[in-house]
Amino acid sequence: MGLLSGLMGNASEVDPAEAQQEFERILVKGEKVRRAFQLIRDGFVFTDKRLILIDKQGMTGNKVEYQSIPWPSIVRFAVESSGTFDLDAELKIWVRGASEPIRRQFDKKIDIYDVQQFLASHVL
């Protein structure tokens, strides 16, 4: 991940095998990481069972919140591609019971349409 991309709040992709090992303690038996993305400190992981949002808190980042969203709780999603002058693409995910979407930005190196297809294959 490029430092500038991370500072801008854009997610970059992480190797699923690395994420599988890193988050082993919060995964259930047999759960597999399919895609993983990281900002400077925070991140999110798509598994075969759920979406996990990782929020590292405080100055040191020692305190971490893991929010699990099962696939059936995702009621809709949207992607916005990057443009000529817009350097990032955006993913919005609406969860049942929440009025505002979860928003994540991606740099141009990530194919937002590939992320959309992945989500569609799990939600639809």
Side-chain angles (χ1 to χ4, degrees):
M1 174 182 73
L3 180 59
L4 180 59
S5 179
L7 290 173
M8 298 295 291
N10 295 336
S12 60
E13 194 149 14
V14 176
D15 178 26
E18 288 178 28
Q20 181 81 31
Q21 199 169 31
E22 182 176 347
F23 301 111
E24 181 178 30
R25 293 182 64 193
I26 63 168
L27 299 174
V28 298
K29 186 175 182 175
E31 185 175 14
K32 300 289 183 210
V33 171
R34 299 296 182 208
R35 305 284 298 266
F37 299 90
Q38 182 175 6
L39 297 165
I40 286 183
R41 293 178 1 149
D42 299 337
F44 53 106
V45 176
F46 294 118
T47 77
D48 54 351
K49 300 184 182 301
R50 59 186 162 157
L51 165 61
I52 303 169
L53 303 175
I54 299 111
D55 180 16
K56 293 189 178 180
Q57 303 170 6
M59 292 296 290
T60 62
N62 288 334
K63 183 177 179 180
V64 182
E65 175 183 72
Y66 300 97
Q67 181 180 2
S68 293
I69 302 168
W71 287 118
S73 295
I74 297 174
V75 293
R76 73 180 201 245
F77 58 90
V79 295
E80 183 179 302
S81 63
S82 57
T84 304
F85 299 107
D86 189 12
L87 299 177
D88 51 26
E90 186 175 27
L91 170 67
K92 298 176 199 168
I93 299 173
W94 284 265
V95 178
R96 184 173 288 111
S99 59
E100 292 295 316
I102 297 164
R103 296 172 185 264
R104 294 295 185 263
Q105 292 183 327
F106 294 80
D107 63 26
K108 283 190 172 189
K109 290 182 249 174
I110 305 295
D111 182 353
I112 194 68
Y113 297 107
D114 186 44
V115 175
Q116 185 277 333
Q117 285 185 345
F118 179 83
L119 267 170
S121 71
H122 286 77
V123 174
L124 301 179

